[in-house]
Amino acid sequence: MRHKVGQRKLHRTTSHRLAMLNNMVTSLLEHQAIRTTLPKAKEARKIAERIITLGKRGGLANVRLAARTVKDRDVLQKVFGEYKDRYANRPGGYTRIVRLGFRRGDAAEIALLELVDRPEKAAPVDTEAAAAPAEETKAE
């Protein structure tokens, strides 16, 4: 049995791995969903859930702890504002991993890492219908 095992090394040096995971978590919190390989998604999920928990607790000390990972100030404000309210009644499990299949080039398993309860994207705007009234006003 592998007791007290840390994290996956992902074939990278420590500094490279930490920087990559911090960037992935920042992107996840900014865009609410990212597409990556399954092992990277599993590692990023641990960090993202901890950051959201810090956001729920609030306070200056927790802001500073979260700022170690999330370097973008706008994303940090989003964590301590929008996500704090959204996940106030949820006791954990803020992310979801959806397996998407295998990458064509190297057959790596790809996954979608997303925040649960994220708002659905707005319906795409029909560009032809939007352009038609503008042309009519030019003709007059």
Side-chain angles (χ1 to χ4, degrees), residues 9-46:
K9 295 185 181 178
L10 301 173
H11 301 290
R12 286 165 172 80
T13 62
T14 303
S15 59
H16 183 189
R17 182 177 62 249
L18 293 177
M20 179 191 66
L21 290 173
N22 290 347
N23 287 332
M24 286 176 60
V25 169
T26 302
S27 295
L28 171 66
L29 296 173
E30 181 180 1
H31 301 291
Q32 300 185 23
I34 58 172
R35 192 169 160 255
T36 184
T37 61
L38 186 62
K40 288 181 192 174
K42 288 180 178 180
E43 287 303 311
R45 172 176 55 182
K46 296 175 189 177

Side-chain angles (χ1 to χ4, degrees), residues 17-135:
R17 182 177 62 249
L18 293 177
M20 179 191 66
L21 290 173
N22 290 347
N23 287 332
M24 286 176 60
V25 169
T26 302
S27 295
L28 171 66
L29 296 173
E30 181 180 1
H31 301 291
Q32 300 185 23
I34 58 172
R35 192 169 160 255
T36 184
T37 61
L38 186 62
K40 288 181 192 174
K42 288 180 178 180
E43 287 303 311
R45 172 176 55 182
K46 296 175 189 177
I47 300 169
E49 300 230 351
R50 182 169 181 268
I51 297 297
I52 294 173
T53 302
L54 290 173
K56 282 176 57 176
R57 291 182 188 157
L60 181 59
N62 290 326
V63 171
R64 289 179 175 166
L65 287 172
R68 291 178 183 177
T69 301
V70 179
K71 306 290 190 223
D72 189 358
R73 185 172 291 213
D74 295 332
V75 175
L76 207 57
Q77 289 176 347
K78 196 177 204 183
V79 168
F80 284 86
E82 178 185 339
Y83 295 154
K84 178 179 183 175
D85 299 334
R86 183 189 303 176
Y87 298 118
N89 297 325
R90 182 179 281 272
Y94 313 112
T95 58
R96 169 188 308 127
I97 294 179
V98 180
R99 294 173 188 232
L100 298 177
F102 297 93
R103 189 161 49 199
R104 184 178 177 129
D106 61 355
E109 190 168 6
I110 299 297
L112 177 73
L113 177 61
E114 64 180 352
L115 298 177
V116 297
D117 298 337
R118 69 182 176 124
E120 295 297 323
K121 292 184 180 179
V125 178
D126 186 13
T127 55
E128 293 176 9
E135 292 174 6

Side-chain angles (χ1 to χ4, degrees), residues 132-140:
E135 292 174 6
E136 291 175 7
T137 56
K138 289 180 184 177
E140 294 176 13

